[in-house]
Amino acid sequence: MISTARNWFIQNFTQEKYQQYLQILGREHPNSIKFRIAETPVFIPKSFEQQMLETTEYIISVIGMKGFKAMTDSSVPNYINKEGEGEHPHFMVFDFGIVQKEDGKLEPQLVEMQGFPSLFMYQLYQEDASREAFEIPEEYTQFLNGFDKEKVIKKMREIVIGNENPENVILLELYPQKQKTKIDFYYTQDHLNIPIVCLSEIKKQGNQLFYTKDGHDIPIHRIYNRLIWDEIIHNGDEFIRNQAQMIMEKDLQVHWVTHPSWFYRVSKFTLPFLRHPHIPETRFLSEYLEPPKDLDNYVLKPLFSFGGQGVKIHVTPYDFWSIDDPENYILQKKVDYASVIETPNSPVKAEIRLFYFWDENGGKPIATHNLARLTREEMIGVSYNNQSDWVGGSFALFEK
């Protein structure tokens, strides 16, 4: 998006540098990156960065309102025990599509948000690898608000571990070795020295949870939660569902980072309550008595799905009327991603995800770093972008 930086990158790009970039990213954990990595970062001008940050500040002001939890209570399923959820999530992410206005100017439009962690640790390696392989100029950084790699790791340690012994803090996921995001788990374990534990391995004795290490049961005091709860409840086998219900029982002596309820509270469910120039008009499907006349300008989304499952980009009246539970869907004004990231071939579209950390002991949430996803397709997720070049997982570089 910064034309001078974009032209410089393309002119100096070689396949040899790209292969070096991939090698650097994977050298500490070979064969652990299971998604396509794009050839280029996205160079973001200061004005665009500020528009994203101003939008997130507005959203955060809504999340911080006294009535926010009451407003979003109906989003949290009955199988999620709200006990110990706290007053706000420890982590949030905000996804912005890059769109082009009629006057040709580019602006961000919020697509989605989550009260849930992302690839926080893996993304720390993007800038280092890119700088080493592509010799990225020093006047650009992937970080915000004065953060750098070590400061992010320090903040993660404070939030995830707190005052506990790392042995009593776990990263919880379902079959972590099979997840596409497992590279992030490994880097998290490297830096925080906490074990990666599968949901299937959790035990309960009284009001305490345990995992097994070297033949001994180790008590779990804090859980860094990476479970997508909806996927477990609806798609897991009976044993896994029972495990999920077990660790959601009341009065357990365990602290969640971040509590599963925030995955639902800060989500697509929140979008209909927001009004901002950089947030597309969004309403619950249940609010409509009939389809909008310009239905082709909307996207139909289930409130809770993973990886874009169930999203209808080209919505028909049949789609509108065939939904049995319209309270669990939204209609969102379509965000038309602009193909503005120049490549040696055709230009590509991009989405920027800003990472926010929020201390549980007070203070405001703060933006730390980011990821980006590049595509030529209508769907932006990396799962849809593995058959082409100059697309896939990436990161944004901001002007210092």
Side-chain angles (χ1 to χ4, degrees), residues 49 53 57 143-148 151 355-356 365-368:
E49 172 195 337
L53 292 174
E57 285 301 308
F143 297 101
L144 295 154
N145 293 308
F147 275 86
D148 58 23
K151 288 179 181 178
F355 298 161
Y356 272 76
I366 189 167
T368 57

Side-chain angles (χ1 to χ4, degrees), residues 173-175 198-202 239-240 243:
E173 176 58 287
L174 179 64
Y175 308 131
C198 179
L199 174 63
S200 64
E201 300 167 353
I202 301 292
F239 170 71
I240 293 300
Q243 286 289 101

Side-chain angles (χ1 to χ4, degrees), residues 12 21 56 59 64 80 88 98-99 116 120 184 202 215 220 224 248 273 283 302 311 324 332 340 368 382:
N12 288 277
Y21 177 51
T56 56
I59 300 169
I80 299 295
H88 56 72
I98 300 175
V99 305
F116 192 75
F120 293 157
D184 184 66
I202 301 292
I220 301 168
Y224 176 40
M248 272 286 106
F273 302 106
R283 293 170 61 186
V311 173
D324 294 328
Q332 183 182 59
V340 293
T368 57
V382 293

Side-chain angles (χ1 to χ4, degrees), residues 1 3 48 51 96-111 277-278 334-342 347-351:
M1 290 169 59
S3 58
F48 194 94
Q51 288 179 315
F96 289 92
I98 300 175
V99 305
Q100 193 163 31
K101 298 192 295 184
E102 292 183 2
D103 62 6
K105 292 181 179 179
L106 301 180
E107 69 172 11
Q109 283 288 311
L110 183 79
V111 179
H278 297 305
K334 191 174 292 184
V335 175
D336 291 320
Y337 292 76
S339 298
V340 293
I341 311 300
E342 295 293 337
V348 298
K349 308 168 188 175
E351 180 178 275

Side-chain angles (χ1 to χ4, degrees), residues 73-119:
D73 263 345
S74 63
S75 71
V76 184
N78 292 332
Y79 51 77
I80 299 295
N81 171 22
K82 300 173 189 174
E83 184 179 71
E85 67 178 357
E87 292 305 310
H88 56 72
H90 300 81
F91 306 111
M92 296 181 294
V93 298
F94 300 92
D95 294 343
F96 289 92
I98 300 175
V99 305
Q100 193 163 31
K101 298 192 295 184
E102 292 183 2
D103 62 6
K105 292 181 179 179
L106 301 180
E107 69 172 11
Q109 283 288 311
L110 183 79
V111 179
E112 200 165 325
M113 57 186 178
Q114 297 174 353
F116 192 75
S118 190
L119 302 177

Side-chain angles (χ1 to χ4, degrees), residues 34-249:
K34 299 302 180 183
F35 47 86
R36 191 178 195 282
I37 298 171
E39 283 82 342
T40 180
V42 182
F43 295 92
I44 300 293
K46 184 66 71 174
S47 58
F48 194 94
E49 172 195 337
Q50 286 304 121
Q51 288 179 315
M52 290 192 293
L53 292 174
E54 288 167 4
T55 307
T56 56
E57 285 301 308
Y58 159 71
I59 300 169
I60 288 166
S61 72
V62 174
I63 296 171
M65 293 189 316
K66 285 187 176 180
F68 181 77
K69 288 176 72 173
M71 183 174 74
T72 57
D73 263 345
S74 63
S75 71
V76 184
N78 292 332
Y79 51 77
I80 299 295
N81 171 22
K82 300 173 189 174
E83 184 179 71
E85 67 178 357
E87 292 305 310
H88 56 72
H90 300 81
F91 306 111
M92 296 181 294
V93 298
F94 300 92
D95 294 343
F96 289 92
I98 300 175
V99 305
Q100 193 163 31
K101 298 192 295 184
E102 292 183 2
D103 62 6
K105 292 181 179 179
L106 301 180
E107 69 172 11
Q109 283 288 311
L110 183 79
V111 179
E112 200 165 325
M113 57 186 178
Q114 297 174 353
F116 192 75
S118 190
L119 302 177
F120 293 157
M121 287 302 196
Y122 163 72
Q123 288 298 132
L124 293 178
Y125 287 80
Q126 290 271 22
E127 181 174 327
D128 285 348
S130 185
R131 220 175 276 288
E132 185 175 340
F134 298 121
E135 299 178 335
I136 297 295
E138 290 293 335
E139 60 262 34
Y140 298 101
T141 178
Q142 73 174 113
F143 297 101
L144 295 154
N145 293 308
F147 275 86
D148 58 23
K149 183 176 179 180
E150 294 308 315
K151 288 179 181 178
V152 169
I153 293 171
K154 181 175 183 290
K155 181 60 71 174
M156 279 287 288
R157 189 176 293 116
E158 291 172 358
I159 294 176
V160 173
I161 300 176
N163 296 320
E164 293 290 345
N165 184 328
E167 184 180 58
N168 301 115
V169 182
I170 67 167
L171 186 159
L172 181 64
E173 176 58 287
L174 179 64
Y175 308 131
Q177 308 302 327
K178 297 181 180 180
Q179 300 296 332
K180 289 183 179 180
T181 54
K182 63 183 180 180
I183 183 66
D184 184 66
F185 306 156
Y186 298 154
Y187 280 130
T188 301
Q189 185 177 51
D190 290 346
H191 291 293
L192 302 189
N193 196 30
I194 63 175
I196 303 166
V197 178
C198 179
L199 174 63
S200 64
E201 300 167 353
I202 301 292
K203 303 175 184 179
K204 177 177 172 288
Q205 299 175 22
N207 64 353
Q208 180 73 64
L209 299 178
F210 296 83
Y211 72 97
T212 301
K213 176 183 177 183
D214 300 328
H216 300 284
D217 287 343
I218 309 297
I220 301 168
H221 297 165
R222 290 171 77 90
I223 296 174
Y224 176 40
N225 180 42
R226 299 299 298 266
L227 289 170
I228 303 294
W229 226 262
D230 232 40
E231 297 295 304
I232 293 168
I233 294 298
H234 293 110
N235 298 322
D237 58 30
E238 184 176 359
F239 170 71
I240 293 300
R241 288 197 297 271
N242 289 338
Q243 286 289 101
Q245 292 168 0
M246 177 187 73
I247 66 173
M248 272 286 106
E249 291 180 7

